[in-house]
Amino acid sequence: MDTTDARREGRLQDYFVTAGRVSPASEPAPPWRANLQFGDINTDWSEIDTSKVSEREKKNLFRVDEEIGKHRWWMSLLPGGIYTTTKMFGGKYLLRSAWNMFVAYSKTAFSLYRKYGATALRKFMGTKLFVPVGEGAGAAAYFLAGPLIRRFPALAPLPRWVEIEITTICNKKCTHCEHTHWGITQEQRHLTLEEYRHIIDQFDLTWVHTTGEGSSFLNPDFFGIMEENRKRNIPHYFVDHFDDLTEKDMDEILKRDVAGIYISIDGASPETYNPVRIGCDFDRVVRNIRKFIEKKKAMGLDLPELNFRMVVTNDNVHEMPRFVDLVKSFGGAEAIGRGARLDFVGVLNFDENEQNFVNTVPYDIYRETIEKARTCDFNVIMSHIEPTQNPPSSQCICWLEPYILMGGDVIPCCTVLMSNNREYLHSSAFGNVFTQSFREIWESRRYREFRSIINDDTKPVPGFCVNCRGYDNSRRALKNGIRWDL
């Protein structure tokens, strides 16, 4: 038994979970697994609960499926992350998006080559070709290789891309964020620059997303982390709300050619945004974005790409079309970045967030949003907004992109995150990069077994994936049970 397996066996005993045992869906949830739900839809543990879906909502779902979100057989071959967008917009939009990205990234790659050399070019193109699902990922290779890897997961390469948590400290109280609802048992600290170096030394990275349950700019080593990525020519992406950004912060970002920033704006007006993003101010955020774009333009820079993300909730779903207009008002692809995009994503999945959950997006909202999106010169993506549009787990490639929690614990991806169940994630991690090498963790028996069943709809659902917000595991769990040891 290797180190990872021995460490795991101890935890299994702590939680009275037997390795290899399949638990039926009718069995009560383990007491240590809080907030148990199937996918993004609130469910009873033993059966799918449709009691909260009204007849009007059911009719709306039917209309969306018939007139907008039609499934075609070839969509089952797509990477899961682009599945819902393709359903909603159609195959022609997918081809247009792919062409836009090819043209945009070719220009940016040439610019990086002139400025930093062949290594920067190679790693940037690696981001757009081989990074599966994360911020800035192109995932181009998986349109062909994806079905093969999902069928034969042993073919999966050792990742050269990773998401790293660099802080769990935040000065905001966003209503839909699990950090707002954390208890006293959650860790609250920053990752140091030395810890960061220790992690990335274990990879030959072509992409990194520094993330966390908090605000990155509160970490005093954040600019040092940016600089380390620049020295190694690693394309660096991060997410921020842009509320606290100073002009000095802007200058520090721009001089390092960060690859991309995802700006979270959960509303298109102060009236909607401010009550959701408590501690942030809509007008200040918009001013900061416009100021950043002005500085970037004055310096003649291609990077960073500015991408925009709206978490769709009951409080802001009506502003989806206006959000497209808001992003367009920043100047289009020439201003925000040639490869920039706008993402609509679903609210995160935990009990305290139930009131924010959108069971169905009204047909008229979908239609107006899509019509506006077709006029944009940047790509618009829709992911896990509502559970009925999620693909099955057989299309998942998120497991190719590991996520490293604060403290070094490795979990399969970011999609299993944000269920307000951090104790479970830490206790069930595949290993820790401060006590083992990542290669040892990746090649451990338990991690290999997890990868062997994740895409097989005839096998039980891995415990990590029960709360997945991006893929539908409900029917599979009811039919095949759950492997809580995975």
Side-chain angles (χ1 to χ4, degrees):
M1 182 181 295
D2 64 23
T3 308
T4 304
D5 295 332
R7 183 167 174 264
R8 176 58 186 165
E9 287 300 325
R11 287 173 170 176
L12 289 176
Q13 293 172 11
D14 291 342
Y15 292 118
F16 306 104
V17 176
T18 304
R21 180 177 181 270
V22 178
S23 299
S26 57
E27 186 174 275
W32 46 269
R33 182 61 195 261
N35 302 326
L36 186 62
Q37 300 167 31
F38 284 128
D40 272 328
I41 191 166
N42 290 314
T43 67
D44 183 81
W45 172 228
S46 59
E47 61 179 315
I48 300 174
D49 179 16
T50 60
S51 62
K52 296 181 182 179
V53 181
S54 67
E55 286 301 316
R56 181 179 178 182
E57 287 176 318
K58 289 177 183 177
K59 290 179 181 179
N60 181 79
L61 284 172
F62 181 78
R63 190 179 182 194
V64 168
D65 286 341
E66 285 298 305
E67 299 182 31
I68 301 178
K70 282 193 174 183
H71 174 81
R72 309 295 185 186
W73 68 267
W74 52 269
M75 293 180 185
S76 298
L77 302 175
L78 296 174
I82 199 67
Y83 172 82
T84 303
T85 302
T86 307
K87 274 184 68 178
M88 293 299 181
F89 287 87
K92 289 182 179 179
Y93 187 83
L94 175 65
L95 292 175
R96 193 198 86 169
S97 298
W99 176 251
N100 286 347
M101 288 190 289
F102 174 77
V103 173
Y105 297 151
S106 297
K107 293 178 180 178
T108 304
F110 181 65
S111 174
L112 284 170
Y113 174 73
R114 286 186 302 172
K115 195 168 184 177
Y116 297 109
T119 300
L121 167 64
R122 174 178 61 82
K123 290 191 174 185
F124 181 78
M125 293 311 297
T127 294
K128 303 309 177 183
L129 290 171
F130 300 114
V131 177
V133 292
E135 279 71 3
Y142 300 100
F143 285 84
L144 295 176
L148 188 64
I149 291 175
R150 296 197 300 266
R151 178 67 178 84
F152 302 104
L155 296 176
L158 184 73
R160 298 178 64 186
W161 37 84
V162 66
E163 297 190 82
I164 303 173
E165 221 168 55
I166 65 167
T167 188
T168 51
I169 295 175
C170 192
N171 58 350
K172 310 300 180 186
K173 290 291 182 182
C174 304
T175 58
H176 56 269
C177 180
E178 73 164 19
H179 193 286
T180 301
H181 305 280
W182 275 4
I184 60 175
T185 61
Q186 305 294 0
E187 71 279 12
Q188 300 262 349
R189 74 176 186 89
H190 301 304
L191 193 75
T192 68
L193 180 57
E194 286 307 309
E195 288 174 322
Y196 184 78
R197 285 177 178 144
H198 175 84
I199 294 173
I200 65 175
D201 281 345
Q202 300 180 44
F203 299 83
D204 178 18
L205 290 177
T206 60
W207 173 89
V208 66
H209 174 218
T210 58
T211 180
E213 305 288 328
S215 298
S216 297
F217 288 98
L218 297 178
N219 186 334
D221 283 344
F222 187 40
F223 290 120
I225 289 170
M226 282 188 199
E227 186 64 29
E228 191 67 28
N229 292 327
R230 182 69 276 152
K231 288 178 181 177
R232 303 184 190 213
N233 283 316
I234 302 170
H236 177 195
Y237 291 80
F238 67 89
V239 178
D240 195 65
H241 44 64
F242 257 50
D243 182 69
D244 298 328
L245 209 64
T246 66
E247 290 205 35
K248 182 180 178 181
D249 293 334
M250 296 179 193
D251 294 335
E252 291 291 331
I253 296 168
L254 290 168
K255 75 181 185 182
R256 290 178 172 88
D257 274 327
V258 171
I261 306 171
Y262 276 67
I263 305 173
S264 296
I265 313 180
D266 303 320
S269 67
E271 294 75 19
T272 297
Y273 174 91
N274 291 346
V276 172
R277 288 265 172 182
I278 297 174
C280 296
D281 179 78
F282 179 83
D283 293 329
R284 182 168 57 239
V285 169
V286 171
R287 283 197 305 270
N288 285 341
I289 292 169
R290 297 196 191 282
K291 173 61 72 173
F292 190 89
I293 291 171
E294 288 174 11
K295 284 178 171 285
K296 178 186 168 187
K297 184 177 180 180
M299 297 172 69
L301 297 176
D302 291 310
L303 297 175
E305 299 167 350
L306 294 184
N307 306 277
F308 296 86
R309 177 174 290 155
M310 176 178 175
V311 177
V312 179
T313 71
N314 277 323
D315 294 324
N316 65 16
V317 62
H318 63 287
E319 289 197 342
M320 287 175 64
R322 286 183 64 185
F323 191 68
V324 178
D325 292 333
L326 173 66
V327 176
K328 284 179 70 175
S329 76
F330 295 133
E334 197 60 35
I336 63 178
R338 299 189 191 106
R341 56 190 250 184
L342 183 164
D343 285 6
F344 290 105
V345 300
V347 73
L348 302 167
N349 183 25
F350 53 93
D351 288 349
E352 295 86 348
N353 220 11
E354 184 175 351
Q355 73 278 6
N356 293 314
F357 184 79
V358 178
N359 278 315
T360 62
V361 176
Y363 171 88
D364 292 338
I365 296 294
Y366 261 137
R367 175 59 68 192
E368 186 179 359
T369 303
I370 290 170
E371 288 175 357
K372 287 178 178 288
R374 292 187 188 280
T375 68
C376 298
D377 60 353
F378 50 83
N379 294 332
V380 177
I381 306 295
M382 294 184 177
S383 300
H384 58 82
I385 298 176
E386 52 182 359
T388 57
Q389 303 300 337
N390 286 346
S393 56
S394 57
Q395 288 181 245
C396 176
I397 58 172
C398 295
W399 55 270
L400 290 164
E401 191 176 289
Y403 186 102
I404 301 179
L405 293 164
M406 182 64 66
D409 283 335
V410 177
I411 60 175
C413 67
C414 71
T415 313
V416 304
L417 201 65
M418 293 295 280
S419 56
N420 200 19
N421 210 351
R422 300 274 292 191
E423 294 94 339
Y424 168 74
L425 295 177
H426 280 293
S427 67
S428 302
F430 291 116
N432 188 288
V433 292
F434 293 113
T435 59
Q436 307 158 261
S437 72
F438 178 77
R439 181 181 286 273
E440 288 176 328
I441 297 169
W442 179 258
E443 294 177 352
S444 66
R445 176 196 57 80
R446 180 168 169 256
Y447 210 156
R448 283 186 281 110
E449 188 172 5
F450 170 85
R451 296 195 297 271
S452 74
I453 73 169
I454 179 66
N455 293 129
D456 190 342
D457 279 344
T458 68
K459 298 290 177 60
V461 174
F464 265 124
C465 303
V466 170
N467 272 66
C468 179
R469 64 180 184 265
Y471 294 87
D472 177 19
N473 287 314
S474 56
R475 290 165 182 79
R476 177 176 166 184
L478 292 169
K479 181 179 179 182
N480 303 320
I482 297 165
R483 283 280 302 273
W484 288 113
D485 60 314
L486 298 178

